[in-house]
Each structure stands twice: as C-alpha cells, then as structure tokens.
C-alpha cells in the first residue's frame, strides 16, 4: 500500500507531526519570551474597537484620568477612583513635550489642554507620554499617562521592518494566516496541512531508501508550495491599513465589545451617572424575611367605647371629631345619653312625687322648729335632725333629676389621631361598642409572623411594596402559636410618614447565623439576558465587565454576594440597569 | 521512572515561562540603592538624597545607558505638594536639584525623553 517499509512509519509520523507543530510552538514560546524583549508595558493599549478614538488612561488610589486627543487639544476627564464621581474643580498641571502647561476646566466638567505640539509630532510616534499632576482639595497625585495617537497616514506606509525581525515576521504572518484559515474552516488550509504531511512522509520514506536526489526534489517542491501559498495568501489578504482606510471616523459610542465587556466613554458615564463602590468582604448576619403588618403601638393608641347603651350626641364643642383629627388625651369626643324606659319613668315620677311630698312636710317642720327653737320649746337636736332630713331628701330629688338628664362623656384615653370614627348624631350606641379609634402615627409597630425564634437583640428592617425600608427595633415575641408561627413585634424607628395601620410589609430580621461575603446595594445586581445575576465590575477607566455572581438576601437595601466578585473590585452600584442595556 | 521524568519535564516547561515573566517585572532595589521601575523601553532607577534627585537609565537587559541626549523631569509629591525637578545629564545618569528636601522614598513620576524625542515615564509609589 505504501512505498516504504512499515517499521519506518512511527518515526516518519513523529517527524511530520513535529514539523507541523514547530511553527506554532516556536511562535508561542517566542511570544512569551518577547514580553521582555519587546518591553512594551509602557505603551498604551490599542483601541478596543475601530469606532473608538485612540485615548489614554491612568489611575491611582485616588484618581482616574482619561485623555482623548481631539484636534489640536487634549480633552481630559478626571474622576474619583473608588466611586467614579467626576471631579470638576481640580487643578491639573500637565508635563507636555513643550514644558508644563495647565489643563483648564470647562463648563461640562471636562478639562482641556491646548496641544499645538500635537500637529508637529514625529509621524512614527504612536503614543504620547504625559505626566499629570492632579491637585483636588487635599489629594495630590502624579499620574503617568500614555495617550495613544491615531496613526499618521504616511507612517503606516513607511513603517520599517527591522532586519532581525524579518524572518520571524514572515513565520508569524504564515502562522496567523493559517490560524485564520483554520478558524474560518477554509478547506484550502486543510489541504495545505495534508499536503505538508504527505510530503513529509514521502521525504522520510525516500531518505530511508537512501535516495538523495528525490529527497531534494521533494524538499524543493515543498518549499515552492509553501512560498507560493504565502504569496497567494498575501495577494488575497487585505492589509489592515488598507482596510482601515474605509472605516468611518471614531464616534465614541458606548458599546458591548466582542469579549462581552462594555465600553462606556466618560461623557456617557457621566450622563448615566455611573457610580462604583469598592467591594469589601465582611461578616454579616443572615436575615430571614417574614410577612408582617403594621399595627398601632399598644401604648400609644386607644379605643373610645361607650360603657352604657345610649343615644350619641356631639361633644360640647359641637361636632364629632372627623377622621384624621388630632386629639389630646382627655378631650371630650362624644356624649352618650342613656335612654329611660317607660316603666322606669313612671317609677321615677312616683318616687319624685313621694320625695316632693316628704320635702314639703319636712320643710314645714323645719320652719316651725326654727320659730320655736329660740324660746326653748323645741330642742336644738330636733331642729338639726329635721334640717338633715330635709337636706337628704333634697339631695335624693336632685340625683333623680340628674340621672334623667346627664349623659356620659366619652373622652380620648390617649393623644393621637382619629383613625376610625363610627359616630353619627342620634345613633344608639350599644354598651362596649367602639365609637372612635385613636392612633399615634409617630408610634407604629410591626407585627410579623416568625417560624423560628428570633434573637431578641437582632436588628431588623421592614421593606415596603414601594421599595422603601424602615428600621425596626425588636420589642418582643409571643409564645402562643398562631398559624404555626409566633407573632414578633417590632417598633418602627424614625419617621413613619405615609404608613397606615394594617399595611403589609416584609420584615427582614437578622438571625444568629453569620455569613461571609461582600455586601452590595441591591441596585448593583442586575439580571442579564439569560436570567443570570450579574454585577458590573469597573475594570478600566472606560471598561465594565459583567461578572456572574451568586447572591443571597441580606437586608432591605443590600444583598450579599457569596461568589463571583473578589474583594477590592470596583462594582457599579448606581446605573447598573442602564449599563446592562448597552448593546 | 519514565512517568516521573515526564512529569518533571512538564512542570519545568510550564514553570519556566512564568519565572521569566516574573523576572521581567522587576520592581525593586537597583544598583545605587534606589527604586527601579519600567519606563517605556527602559528601566529607570530613582535615588533621592536630601534635595538631590538622581536617575539612572538602564536598557531592557539592566545595562546602564549613557544619559547623553536624554532629558527628564521628575514630579515628586512631598508633604502633600508636588515638586517639579528638571533633570539634566550628569555623570552616569540624569540629576537635578529640588527646591525642598525630598524624603527617602517620595512617590511620583519620572519622565525621560530620549535622543529620538520619544518620552517615557515611570511611576514610583
């Protein structure tokens, strides 16, 4: 089947494979070694996209600076490193090729550095090295800034190739083209590789057979093929420079890059008001969320009930207090006049008649005793007794009258606001019926149902349907079971405006269990297109990267990132939703 | 036996490039006891003594480069204020005098401009 002896096959195969692998391997090794030789850590990164203007950025512990050449000036944007807050009132002193020059702040929050020397630069220069001294309040920092420059037209054509790199460049070019073709699943590349392999096998077989001339012929053929392929590839392949000529001028639009990161230029960052926070690891109490309901503070609320059945009448002020009226403790809210039954009425009339009659008799006796007492015919004792009897009878008569006329006054037991009013003039109130409910709106509680016992000193917050949160202080928990849960009461701390009794809230109460992770504001976690929770890390001045995270609820306003973000990462805490919309 | 040899070779093959990578990021102490950082194609060493600033330029292979044709500027933060020092060739390096006494290790940036007019700077923290 094959024109050579079988035992030679493994050797030939190994050699052929080695030959094939060599360019890739050498290029790879050369790349890693070159990192030092080329020594280009100081050079600015190439623009991430063709539609983004060349720029430079620098950062320190305090500041983040971006510089963009625009015509004959350089526009600078200065922000706080940790928060991303723009600094608009700093003093910037820039070390330019023509000496130190200040960058002047402009109305829109950026700084402008006139750069007439930009036009006179060496066309071969691809970047500009600036040193910027930033003074913002008490913070002083010196930043070294390498600004990439748009390649000058003539420099691209005249870019000299160093002699010692020529062969390496050719190899590199061949490798790149091959990789490209493989990546594009070009059948030509496959054929090329297969051809090389076959030629290698043939050369090996002939060498084994001891024939020199055919080996030479095969090698010459191989060289011709390789060179020819390069030449063709060269012709068919577009130069990056010529391709670049058709690219529209950079517009600096916010965009999602091929690697999934988001490029947001500084002006857009300011428009979206993006802010970051340096994520710090800490220990946090785990929270449980409980269904809760707002209740009035038992010590600052009360009900007004009638103790007797009777007819309701407005208080002496003339009107019943309306809903929402503020009342003081002890204020009269309504009157209840107990009705007198017909049989009681006749009984009372009868009693009244009797009393009147007795009063008349005793009155006459007292009068008579008064006349006789000075002469000693009636003893003083008799007179006193008669007077006492008269007084007693009169008192009983008055009491009888009062019972018929005097209503019961309903007063406010506590100060507060009328939360419920069921009073209508003339209405018959049953004994024990609630006429008014008074609630102090400054003192409201939350009652939540907990399925496990909470630690008494634990802090808690209540989250409302509209996203507001209320700090809560633990008051106590019941022991009596209610729907397989125990009621836990919390007092609302601070302002309780806009709350109503009976409103449902979600109580987030801390438990004993501590969790380690990074606490971030709830708004910093967004959901991406495939439903995964991500946060945006601010990795470079204008670059944001989505990091998938695992989050756990922490409290009303924060979430705990358990995995996905390392401490020290700058995480977007404001505007993450808007950032997520960038396509 | 064979397996062990393979493992050793593999480990070396993986570890060597990493070692090389670390070696090239050589922040540390230089030949004159100063701090060394990268600045474009060069390495520069900064030594501050009282008010005097001395900068030595090395190439990528840590060989001293003649300062002829170079010029430089050092901006160092001293006591919360920036001090700008113009550097000129003197002896084996660039040097200059600051207006105030500099500490032993002030933070700042040294910018050097080569004979070809290209500027490079190194940041000292």
């Amino acid at each position: 089947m094959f024109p050579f002896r079988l035992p030679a096959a493994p050797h030939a195969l190994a050699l052929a494979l080695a030959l094939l692998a060599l360019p890739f391997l050498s290029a790879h090794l050369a790349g890693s070694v070159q990192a030092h030789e080329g020594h280009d850590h100081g050079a600015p990164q190439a623009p991430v996209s063709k539609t983004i203007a060349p720029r430079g950025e620098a950062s320190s512990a305090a500041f983040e600076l971006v510089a963009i050449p625009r015509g004959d000036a350089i526009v600078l944007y200065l922000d706080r490193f940790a928060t991303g807050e723009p600094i608009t009132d700093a003093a910037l002193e820039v070390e330019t090729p023509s000496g130190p020059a200040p960058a002047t702040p402009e109305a829109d929050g950026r700084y402008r550095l006139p750069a007439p020397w930009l036009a006179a630069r060496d066309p071969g220069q691809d970047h500009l090295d600036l040193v910027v001294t930033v003074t913002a309040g008490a913070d002083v920092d010196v930043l070294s800034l390498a600004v990439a420059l748009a390649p000058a037209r003539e420099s691209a054509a005249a870019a000299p190739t160093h002699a010692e790199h020529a062969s390496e460049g050719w190899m590199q070019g061949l490798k790149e083209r091959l990789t490209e073709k493989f990546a594009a699943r070009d059948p030509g590349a496959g054929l090329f590789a297969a051809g090389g392999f076959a030629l290698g096998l043939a050369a090996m077989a002939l060498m084994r057979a001891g024939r020199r001339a055919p080996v030479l012929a095969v090698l010459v053929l191989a060289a011709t093929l390789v060179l020819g392929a390069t030449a063709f590839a060269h012709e068919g392949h577009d130069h990056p420079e010529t391709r670049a000529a058709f690219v529209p001028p950079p517009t600096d639009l916010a965009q999602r890059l091929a690697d999934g990161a988001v490029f947001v230029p500084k002006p857009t960052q300011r428009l979206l008001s993006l802010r970051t926070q340096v994520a710090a690891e800490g220990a946090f109490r785990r929270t449980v969320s409980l269904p809760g309901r707002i209740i009035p503070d038992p010590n600052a609320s009360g009900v007004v009930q009638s103790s007797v059945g009777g007819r309701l009448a407005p208080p002496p002020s003339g009107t019943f207090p309306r809903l929402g009226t503020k009342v003081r403790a002890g204020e009269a809210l309504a009157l209840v006049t107990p009705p007198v039954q017909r049989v009681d009425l006749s009984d009372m009339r009868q009693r009244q008649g009797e009393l009147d009659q007795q009063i008349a008799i005793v009155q006459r006796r007292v009068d008579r005793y008064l006349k006789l007492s000075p002469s000693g015919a009636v003893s003083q004792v008799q007179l006193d007794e008669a007077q006492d009897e008269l007084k007693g009878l009169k008192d009983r008569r008055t009491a009888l009258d009062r019972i018929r006329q005097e209503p019961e006054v309903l007063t406010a037991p506590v100060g507060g606001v009328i939360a419920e009013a069921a009073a209508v003039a003339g209405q018959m109130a049953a004994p024990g019926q609630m006429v008014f409910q008074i609630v102090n709106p400054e003192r409201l509680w939350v009652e939540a149902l907990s399925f496990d016992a909470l630690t008494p000193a634990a802090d808690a917050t209540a989250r409302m349907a509209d996203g507001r949160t209320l700090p809560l202080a633990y008051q106590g928990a019941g022991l009596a079971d209610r729907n397989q849960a125990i009621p836990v009461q919390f007092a609302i701390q601070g302002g309780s405006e806009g709350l109503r009794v009976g409103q449902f809230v979600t109580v987030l109460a801390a438990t004993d269990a501590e969790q380690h992770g990074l606490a971030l504001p709830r708004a910093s976690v967004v959901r991406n297109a495939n439903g995964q929770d991500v946060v945006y890390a601010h990795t470079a001045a204008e670059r944001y990267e989505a990091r998938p995270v695992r989050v756990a609820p922490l409290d009303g306003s924060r979430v705990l990132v358990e995995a996905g973000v390392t401490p020290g990462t700058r995480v977007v805490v404001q505007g993450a939703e808007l950032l997520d919309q960038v396509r | 036996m064979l397996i062990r040899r393979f493992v050793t070779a593999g480990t070396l093959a993986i570890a060597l490039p990493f070692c090389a990578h670390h070696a090239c990021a050589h922040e540390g102490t230089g030949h004159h006891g100063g701090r060394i950082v990268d600045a474009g194609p060069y390495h520069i060493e900064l030594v501050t003594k009282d008010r005097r600033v001395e900068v030595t330029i090395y190439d990528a292979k840590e060989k001293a480069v003649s300062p002829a044709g170079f010029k430089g500027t050092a901006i160092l933060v001293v006591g919360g204020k920036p001090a700008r020092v113009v550097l000129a060739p003197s002896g084996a390096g660039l040097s200059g005098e600051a207006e105030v006494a500099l500490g032993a290790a002030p933070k700042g940036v040294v910018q050097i401009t080569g004979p070809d007019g290209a500027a490079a700077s190194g940041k000292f923290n």
Side-chain angles (χ1 to χ4, degrees):
Chain A
M1 207 164 166
F2 293 104
F4 51 80
R5 283 175 295 162
L6 226 59
H11 292 275
L13 198 69
L15 188 70
L17 278 177
L19 272 172
L20 264 177
L22 195 64
F24 292 95
L25 198 65
S26 69
H28 178 74
L29 284 177
S32 56
V33 172
Q34 260 171 6
H36 196 223
E37 292 288 313
H39 214 286
D40 52 0
H41 0 249
Q45 291 175 340
V48 281
S49 163
K50 292 277 183 204
T51 58
I52 297 167
R55 54 190 62 225
E57 61 178 68
S59 61
S60 70
F63 305 112
E64 187 173 71
L65 187 69
V66 169
I68 306 166
R70 288 253 188 271
D72 62 345
I74 291 179
V75 177
L76 297 139
Y77 294 91
L78 182 68
D79 296 296
R80 292 260 168 222
F81 180 77
T83 59
E85 208 177 332
I87 306 172
T88 54
D89 56 350
L92 266 65
E93 188 80 14
V94 187
E95 205 64 36
T96 68
S98 61
T104 48
E106 294 201 318
D108 51 0
R110 25 179 227 185
Y111 298 84
R112 191 172 179 278
L113 174 72
W117 31 265
L118 215 54
R121 72 188 161 102
D122 176 15
Q125 214 176 339
D126 65 339
H127 77 279
L128 186 70
D129 201 275
L130 300 174
V131 178
V132 186
T133 311
V134 182
T135 311
D139 292 330
V140 178
D141 220 328
V142 187
L143 298 163
S144 157
L145 187 68
V147 185
L149 296 173
R153 294 256 179 268
E154 62 271 20
S155 72
T161 318
H162 293 294
E164 70 265 29
H165 288 148
S167 58
E168 201 179 75
W170 172 83
M171 207 59 153
Q172 185 82 6
L174 180 64
K175 191 207 97 184
E176 265 175 23
R177 275 193 288 280
L178 267 179
T179 329
E180 213 171 85
K181 283 196 186 252
F182 272 124
R185 292 173 195 277
D186 191 340
L191 277 178
F192 184 77
F197 186 65
L199 277 175
L201 286 182
M204 200 60 212
L206 288 170
M207 211 136 75
R208 286 239 150 202
R211 292 182 207 161
R212 288 271 166 81
V215 171
L216 210 64
V218 165
L219 282 178
V220 165
L221 180 66
T224 321
L225 271 177
V226 167
L227 286 176
T230 357
F232 276 122
H234 199 258
E235 263 174 38
H237 185 79
D238 279 342
H239 279 287
E241 298 91 88
T242 48
R243 227 179 343 187
F246 300 104
V247 168
T251 48
D252 271 5
L253 286 173
Q255 54 194 275
R256 202 165 277 266
L257 305 173
D259 60 355
V262 180
F263 169 82
V264 184
K266 279 288 169 192
T268 314
Q269 283 184 27
R270 294 182 178 191
L271 190 70
L272 301 182
S273 180
L274 298 180
R275 295 288 181 274
T276 57
Q277 182 185 315
V278 178
E281 194 165 18
F284 302 93
R285 290 270 188 81
R286 200 181 73 81
T287 59
V288 287
S289 56
L290 315 168
R293 197 168 57 88
I294 292 178
I295 57 165
D297 181 345
N299 295 316
S301 68
V303 289
V304 179
Q305 290 175 321
S306 167
S307 61
V308 292
R311 199 170 293 280
L312 279 175
S317 63
T319 49
F320 289 120
R322 285 174 303 137
L323 282 176
T325 309
K326 276 196 170 155
V327 292
R328 294 182 317 276
E331 196 176 322
L333 304 179
L335 302 176
V336 184
T337 316
V340 184
Q341 303 293 325
R342 192 166 289 274
V343 68
D344 293 342
L345 207 62
S346 75
D347 200 39
M348 277 163 72
R349 287 231 177 95
Q350 200 180 331
R351 191 98 191 108
Q352 207 177 331
E354 272 174 24
L355 280 170
D356 285 347
Q357 196 182 347
Q358 281 181 20
I359 286 169
I361 293 165
V362 176
Q363 183 69 55
R364 270 200 297 277
R365 196 161 69 206
V366 168
D367 289 349
R368 197 164 58 241
Y369 284 175
L370 276 173
K371 277 184 214 149
L372 295 175
S373 137
S375 62
V378 176
S379 71
Q380 186 63 33
V381 177
Q382 278 178 310
L383 176 63
D384 288 348
E385 276 175 3
Q387 275 175 332
D388 287 346
E389 196 181 347
L390 180 65
K391 192 172 172 287
L393 285 169
K394 277 184 174 169
D395 280 352
R396 281 166 70 187
R397 179 72 175 85
T398 324
L400 204 63
D401 280 351
R402 204 186 300 144
I403 281 170
R404 274 187 60 192
Q405 290 161 6
E406 199 171 83
E408 187 193 0
V409 181
L410 301 183
T411 55
V414 291
V417 167
I418 301 291
E420 207 176 321
V424 180
Q427 184 195 352
M428 288 298 291
Q433 183 195 336
M434 190 187 75
V435 183
F436 293 106
Q437 190 186 4
I438 300 165
V439 170
N440 187 347
E442 266 101 63
R443 291 175 67 182
L444 292 176
W445 282 19
V446 170
E447 188 177 83
L449 290 175
S450 171
F451 294 94
D452 44 17
L454 292 174
T455 47
D459 295 331
T461 51
R463 197 170 74 236
M464 294 168 59
D466 61 0
R468 274 203 301 156
T469 56
L470 308 164
L472 300 178
Y474 179 84
Q475 297 295 317
L479 288 173
D481 189 273
R482 193 194 293 176
N483 297 333
Q484 294 302 310
I486 51 165
V488 190
Q489 290 184 330
F490 301 92
I492 296 176
Q493 305 280 30
S496 53
E497 288 85 42
L499 300 180
R500 58 187 167 77
V501 172
Q503 198 170 2
F504 287 112
V505 292
T506 305
V507 175
L508 297 149
T511 59
D512 277 341
E514 270 195 343
Q515 282 174 307
H516 288 265
L518 300 101
L520 289 175
R522 201 164 267 275
S524 59
V525 180
V526 291
R527 193 154 284 196
N528 69 4
N530 54 9
Q532 201 168 25
D533 283 333
V534 295
V535 298
Y536 278 91
H538 195 181
T539 52
E542 294 178 312
R543 190 180 161 91
Y544 295 87
E545 282 173 20
R547 299 265 166 86
V549 288
R550 188 175 74 233
V551 293
L554 188 60
D555 58 25
S557 59
R558 295 180 303 169
V559 291
L560 188 78
V561 174
E562 291 175 329
V565 177
T566 49
T569 309
R570 286 183 293 165
V571 177
V572 178
V573 294
Q574 186 184 319
E577 286 279 356
L578 298 169
L579 195 59
D580 201 37
Q581 300 301 318
V582 175
R583 291 285 169 264
Chain B
M1 196 63 186
L2 198 66
I3 287 172
R4 192 188 288 175
R5 211 177 279 173
F6 268 117
V7 167
T8 317
T11 316
L12 271 179
I14 290 166
L16 277 176
F18 279 100
C19 296
H21 181 79
H22 275 286
C24 78
H26 38 65
E27 308 250 330
T29 313
H31 304 292
H32 299 92
R35 291 169 286 165
I36 283 203
V37 296
D38 294 334
Y42 307 106
H43 294 156
I44 51 176
E45 180 182 358
L46 172 72
V47 179
T48 51
K49 264 185 234 149
D50 193 25
R51 281 167 51 188
R52 189 160 179 81
V53 180
E54 282 175 5
V55 172
T56 318
I57 307 165
Y58 301 99
D59 65 6
K61 290 178 179 128
E62 294 281 325
K63 229 171 75 187
V65 175
S66 162
F70 278 93
K71 56 184 182 171
T73 313
I75 300 175
L76 304 166
V77 179
V78 184
K81 283 200 177 68
R84 184 171 182 272
V85 184
V86 178
L87 305 172
S90 88
L94 300 166
S95 66
E97 285 279 330
E99 285 171 5
V100 291
L102 309 160
K107 69 170 193 173
V109 172
V110 173
Q111 186 184 43
I112 53 167
T113 310
D116 56 350
S121 50
K123 195 165 171 18
F124 294 89
N125 286 317

